[in-house]
């Protein structure tokens, strides 16, 4: 029999394209942002026209490309707000310029590569922003980074995007600027559709972790008015040359392990995982143990307001249970069904013996993980049931049944973040920098968290480790501040919440254009976010009326570009071909 190796790790970000954009430390932002970059002048407006006489050519691989085109008229950061375009040679007809190095080219709609032509080729855009960090733009040409996509006939556009750790002393790059820049790049492509090969109707985003989160936000918030004041500030293309409105809606989204929705992530993390933990910030002597329990109790109330339904139209809700916190109801049953399906897919996809290799430490740490080989399915099931029996297995049908959430979490998905996993009570989590409101001043951003703190503050104050600085007043202070565009935290938080656009529980419902094609993959074992994160996005998309939602949780995978089988890049390219009209 074949031996399969299953890797549970957090190394997938490095595999997304090959940008060399690494996870950064929590960055800072400056609330009174100037409209210029510290590295370049923006006193004169930039042209939104793509220069058809500025193409370079890689004759060896038959690729035309342009590097470093500023994609907005009034950039705040020319060091990030520029993009590169890579086009298969068949899609352009070009003549050499007198300088001997550049070419003047026009689109060739009849040129073909694989299944596509110069008219129909989808445009794919990577969003490689781990932890909502910046995406550095290309500064030189490399075929290796884009070869798989171009050989498949795709047009590849790589925009620089600002992020949580790219701010300067004179410029704020905190949310929503990352997604704003992404939307501006999409609008630039449509502004230049007459001179660009490829189909600007078929733009597909793809990203992992914070990148998956931001492409999910962009994919749900097409043309949302929440982004208009930000887009206008940087001179994004709002109309074409004939005065017709331009759109930033996209056709498709590929999201691996999207770390969203941040607005409720503190609550879902404690309900899904924290309620089963009793060490660290969840130890009984700490005020955060009580905080964890209160967050877990608050999440079902939020969940039930969403009105999610399964594929049969059944309302999904959580109800009180005899043990644990709201471990009952139709939503709970749905979650257990997702976990069970994930395990059975794994048993179907793999042969035994197989080896699990765990990551020894953070990517780049040099720490060595451990590998364990299981000779038979029975050996593996016995391992899963080491501490308690939560999986039963039928060898005749090669199927397993998961009996409950607690056994799964304690065995495979323990909490690896402290209480206040996203909006930290001392503003110490990376996501607090995503919404920073001042220089070296990460900010609170989650009203649901603030409500829990306010309701229970007097109880928390009875613990010896409580500090009044953790109180609700700190949240209210941060929420009241306004950014350089004049918007407060509520506005910015809504803009970065995909459910705000998908769920009738929010004012943004049906106020945007949602991508029509979705592929979501997540490692079910990751301790980075709750299982409910991706499940709720999938359900909300289906409930919204999006018919094409390809969703899977991948067993034995953690926070990585998880795939049931095969290679992530190859699978993504194949998916694009399957959903986009030729």
């Amino acid at each position: 029999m074949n031996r399969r190796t299953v890797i549970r790790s957090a190394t997938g970000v490095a595999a997304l394209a090959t940008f060399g954009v690494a996870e950064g430390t929590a960055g800072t932002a400056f609330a009174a942002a100037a409209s210029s970059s510290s590295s370049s002048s923006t006193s004169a407006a930039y042209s939104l026209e793509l220069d058809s006489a500025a193409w370079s050519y890689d004759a060896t691989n038959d690729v035309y490309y342009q590097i470093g085109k500023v994609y907005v008229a009034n950039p705040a950061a020319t060091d990030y707000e520029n993009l590169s375009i890579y086009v298969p040679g068949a899609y352009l007809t070009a003549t050499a310029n007198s300088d001997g190095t550049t070419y003047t080219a026009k689109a060739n709609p009849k040129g073909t590569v694989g299944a596509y032509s110069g008219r129909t080729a989808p445009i794919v855009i990577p969003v490689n922003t781990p932890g909502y960090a910046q995406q550095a733009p290309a500064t030189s040409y490399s075929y290796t980074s884009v070869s798989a996509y171009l050989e498949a006939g795709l047009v590849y556009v790589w925009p620089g995007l600002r992020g949580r750790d790219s701010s300067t002393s004179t410029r704020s790059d905190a949310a929503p600027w990352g997604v704003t820049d992404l939307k501006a790049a999409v609008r630039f492509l449509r502004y230049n559709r007459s001179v660009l090969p490829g189909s600007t109707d078929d733009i597909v985003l793809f990203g992992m972790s914070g990148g998956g989160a931001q492409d999910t936000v962009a994919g749900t918030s097409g043309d949302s008015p929440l982004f208009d004041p930000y887009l206008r500030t940087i001179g994004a293309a709002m109309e074409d040359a004939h005065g017709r409105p331009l759109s930033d809606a996209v056709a498709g989204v590929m999201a691996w392990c999207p770390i969203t929705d941040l607005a409720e992530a503190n609550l879902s993390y404690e309900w899904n995982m924290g309620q089963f933990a009793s060490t660290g910030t969840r130890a009984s002597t700490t005020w955060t143990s009580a905080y964890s329990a209160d967050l877990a109790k608050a999440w079902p109330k939020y969940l039930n307001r969403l009105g999610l339904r399964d594929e049969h139209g059944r309302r999904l809700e959580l109800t009180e249970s005899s043990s644990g916190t709201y471990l009952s109801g139709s939503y709970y049953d749905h979650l257990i069904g997702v976990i069970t399906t994930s395990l059975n897919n794994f048993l179907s996809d793999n042969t035994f013996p197989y080896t699990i290799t765990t990551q020894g430490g953070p990517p780049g740490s040099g720490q060595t993980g451990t590998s364990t080989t299981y000779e038979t399915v029975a050996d593996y099931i016995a391992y899963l049931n080491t501490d308690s029996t939560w999986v039963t297995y039928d060898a005749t049908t090669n199927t397993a049944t998961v009996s409950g959430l607690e056994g799964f979490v304690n065995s495979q998905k323990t909490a690896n973040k402290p209480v206040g996993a996203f909006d930290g009570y001392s503003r110490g989590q990376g996501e607090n920098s995503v919404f920073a409101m001042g220089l070296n001043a990460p900010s609170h951003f989650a009203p649901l968290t603030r409500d829990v703190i306010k309701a229970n503050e007097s109880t928390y104050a009875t613990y010896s480790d409580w500090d009044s600085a953790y109180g609700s007043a700190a949240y209210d202070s941060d929420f009241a501040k306004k950014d350089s565009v004049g918007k407060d935290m509520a506005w910015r938080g809504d803009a970065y919440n995909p459910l705000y656009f998908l769920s009738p529980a929010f004012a943004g419902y049906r106020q945007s254009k949602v991508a029509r094609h979705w592929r979501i993959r997540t490692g079910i074992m990751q301790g980075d976010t709750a299982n409910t994160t991706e499940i709720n996005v999938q359900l909300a998309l289906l409930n919204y009326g999006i018919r094409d939602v390809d969703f899977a949780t991948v067993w034995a995978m953690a926070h990585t570009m998880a795939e049931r089988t095969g290679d992530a890049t190859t699978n993504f390219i194949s998916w694009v071909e399957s959903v986009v009209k030729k």
Side-chain angles (χ1 to χ4, degrees):
M1 289 184 290
N2 295 327
R3 181 184 300 270
R4 299 276 184 103
T5 300
V6 181
I7 301 175
R8 297 170 58 191
S9 70
T11 60
V13 170
L16 179 55
T18 47
F19 302 136
V21 182
E23 176 91 53
T25 57
T28 60
F30 186 68
S35 62
S36 62
S37 166
S38 60
S39 62
S40 58
S41 172
T42 59
S43 57
Y46 285 76
S47 172
L48 292 174
E49 304 284 345
L50 183 71
D51 187 353
S52 295
W55 290 98
S56 297
Y57 183 56
D58 171 5
T60 301
N61 297 296
D62 191 22
V63 175
Y64 289 97
Y65 61 93
Q66 291 197 30
I67 306 291
K69 169 60 183 176
V70 174
Y71 54 75
V72 290
N74 185 32
T78 54
D79 49 347
Y80 284 99
E81 291 169 316
N82 69 85
L83 57 75
S84 299
I85 305 173
Y86 306 81
V87 179
Y91 297 162
L92 287 171
T93 301
T95 56
N97 295 328
S98 59
D99 61 12
T101 59
T102 61
Y103 293 77
T104 297
K106 65 178 181 179
N108 175 16
K110 296 183 179 180
T112 60
V113 178
Y116 305 113
S117 69
R119 179 181 60 84
T120 65
I123 299 171
V124 295
I125 300 179
V127 187
N128 190 18
T129 57
Y132 294 80
Q134 80 282 2
Q135 175 165 285
T139 55
S140 61
Y141 173 73
S142 169
Y143 180 66
T144 303
S145 299
V146 300
S147 59
Y149 308 94
L150 299 186
E151 289 168 7
L154 304 173
V155 174
Y156 191 99
V157 175
W158 173 354
L161 308 171
R162 288 174 287 167
R164 74 171 192 189
D165 53 1
S166 64
S167 298
T168 71
S169 61
T170 59
R171 186 186 81 215
S172 169
D173 289 350
W177 286 118
V179 172
T180 299
D181 286 347
L182 179 58
K183 287 172 171 286
V186 169
R187 287 170 174 271
F188 171 85
L189 298 176
R190 293 203 168 109
Y191 185 84
N192 289 283
R193 71 169 72 219
S194 64
V195 296
L196 271 176
S199 171
T200 57
D201 292 331
D202 296 307
I203 296 174
V204 181
L205 312 176
F206 65 107
M208 152 74 191
S209 187
Q214 294 205 119
D215 70 23
T216 298
V217 170
T220 54
S221 66
D223 301 338
S224 167
L226 292 184
F227 288 89
D228 283 354
Y230 295 91
L231 289 164
R232 294 186 186 281
T233 295
I234 57 176
M238 307 301 286
E239 299 175 339
D240 66 15
H242 302 287
R244 294 172 297 202
L246 290 170
S247 172
D248 55 54
V250 298
V253 172
M254 169 71 246
W256 290 278
C257 297
I259 300 295
T260 187
D261 148 34
L262 298 180
E264 54 80 30
N266 275 1
L267 285 65
S268 59
Y269 196 89
E270 297 310 308
W271 178 83
N272 195 158
M273 294 177 283
Q275 68 166 302
F276 307 118
S278 59
T279 60
T281 54
R282 298 173 183 88
S284 60
T285 57
T286 63
W287 79 267
T288 45
S289 66
Y291 180 35
S292 171
D294 292 332
L295 288 168
K297 292 174 185 176
W299 190 71
K301 297 177 183 178
Y302 163 82
L303 181 280
N304 291 346
R305 290 199 302 268
L306 295 179
L308 297 172
R309 296 181 182 273
D310 66 13
E311 66 273 19
H312 305 296
R314 179 180 62 157
R315 180 78 175 254
L316 298 178
E317 296 180 316
L318 289 169
T319 59
E320 293 189 42
S321 53
S322 58
S323 62
T325 303
Y326 280 77
L327 301 179
S328 186
S330 53
Y331 184 92
Y332 181 79
D333 294 340
H334 182 82
L335 171 59
I336 298 304
V338 170
I339 296 170
T340 300
T341 297
S342 182
L343 175 53
N344 283 321
N345 286 341
F346 172 74
L347 296 177
S348 174
D349 295 339
N350 292 279
T351 56
F352 283 71
Y354 82 91
T355 301
I356 288 181
T357 300
T358 58
Q359 183 73 21
S365 67
Q367 299 179 32
T368 303
T370 60
S371 296
T372 304
T373 298
Y374 298 91
E375 297 296 327
T376 66
V377 175
D379 291 338
Y380 182 64
I381 298 299
Y383 149 70
L384 294 178
N385 288 328
T386 297
D387 296 323
S388 66
T389 301
W390 57 278
V391 179
T392 56
Y393 175 67
D394 183 340
T396 303
T397 59
N398 190 35
T399 58
T401 302
V402 173
S403 61
L405 182 62
E406 183 174 5
F408 165 71
V409 169
N410 288 336
S411 174
Q412 299 297 305
K413 192 181 173 68
T414 55
N416 63 14
K417 291 184 177 182
V419 183
F422 297 87
D423 189 342
Y425 54 83
S426 62
R427 305 185 185 89
Q429 296 299 96
E431 288 77 9
N432 291 115
S433 292
V434 174
F435 291 95
M437 290 292 283
L439 186 62
N440 295 322
S443 297
H444 290 302
F445 58 84
L448 291 171
T449 293
R450 177 263 188 195
D451 292 346
V452 171
I453 291 282
K454 184 175 182 180
N456 300 283
E457 199 164 342
S458 60
T459 300
Y460 303 154
T462 64
Y463 288 80
S464 60
D465 60 340
W466 167 259
D467 188 316
S468 60
Y470 305 152
S472 60
Y475 294 77
D476 292 335
S477 175
D478 288 353
F479 295 168
K481 296 175 183 177
K482 294 185 178 181
D483 64 11
S484 61
V485 182
K487 303 305 180 184
D488 61 13
M489 194 64 73
W491 184 290
R492 298 167 66 207
D494 287 343
Y496 258 43
N497 177 5
L499 294 187
Y500 177 80
F501 307 101
L502 296 175
S503 170
F506 299 100
Y509 183 61
R510 300 206 177 276
Q511 301 300 307
S512 64
K513 296 178 182 177
V514 179
R516 61 188 183 272
H517 305 293
W518 290 78
R519 187 173 188 269
I520 302 170
R521 292 292 185 274
T522 183
I524 200 169
M525 273 64 171
Q526 63 174 328
D528 303 77
T529 189
N531 295 113
T532 61
T533 299
E534 296 91 351
I535 290 173
N536 286 3
V537 171
Q538 180 224 12
L539 291 170
L541 285 166
L542 293 173
N543 296 169
Y544 192 88
I546 304 302
R547 296 182 179 180
D548 184 13
V549 185
D550 182 349
F551 172 80
T553 58
V554 185
W555 194 266
M557 292 285 183
H559 194 63
T560 186
M561 293 173 73
E563 295 286 336
R564 285 178 55 185
T565 60
D567 169 74
T569 297
T570 302
N571 290 349
F572 166 64
I573 291 171
S574 297
W575 172 73
V576 171
E577 183 173 340
S578 73
V579 300
V580 175
K581 292 194 306 182
K582 311 301 185 292

